[in-house]
Amino acid sequence: MRFYDPTGERHGGTPTYPFRMAPTDLATRRQLRQQGLRPGGQQIAAQILWRRGDRVAYLYRIDLAKPKREATPAQHAAISKALAARRTCPKCDDLKDYYIPTRHGMCSDCLTGGAA
């Protein structure tokens, strides 16, 4: 068990576990997000190493995690406006049902000459 180091002696003081062997009271950011939580400023409690140590995932204590913050109505409005801008063609000014590719900078109709 190359990465099994619950005391952190071999890995700079950070408790380290192999893939799928971490204690159940610890979770990654993604796992916290699935539970509606966020780390909330706490320090990393442990880490998971796998693929010869090339991959690392940091673990946080679930009991110290805080609830996810909700966006304000103004933030929701700003996000909606920004997403609409990504779907508006700068050449024909049409609102498309897909994001305008940045590679071409215009919608597919304008690219093929179908729009004005």
Side-chain angles (χ1 to χ4, degrees), residues 3 11 16-19 47-51 53-57:
F3 299 126
H11 294 93
T16 304
Y17 301 94
F19 187 63
Q47 64 185 355
I48 296 173
L49 293 178
W50 71 100
R51 287 195 183 167
D54 294 336
R55 300 285 305 207
V56 63

Side-chain angles (χ1 to χ4, degrees), residues 85-88 90 98-108 111:
R86 288 182 60 196
R87 296 185 309 130
T88 304
Y98 58 89
Y99 293 129
I100 305 300
T102 56
R103 171 186 241 177
H104 306 296
M106 63 183 81
C107 67
S108 58
L111 187 63

Side-chain angles (χ1 to χ4, degrees), residues 39-76:
Q42 65 174 293
Q43 296 294 316
I44 295 167
Q47 64 185 355
I48 296 173
L49 293 178
W50 71 100
R51 287 195 183 167
R52 298 181 307 274
D54 294 336
R55 300 285 305 207
V56 63
Y58 298 115
L59 300 171
Y60 302 90
R61 290 180 43 185
I62 296 173
D63 62 333
L64 297 179
K66 295 180 179 177
K68 278 178 27 177
R69 293 181 284 207
E70 294 295 324
T72 66
Q75 288 171 326
H76 281 296

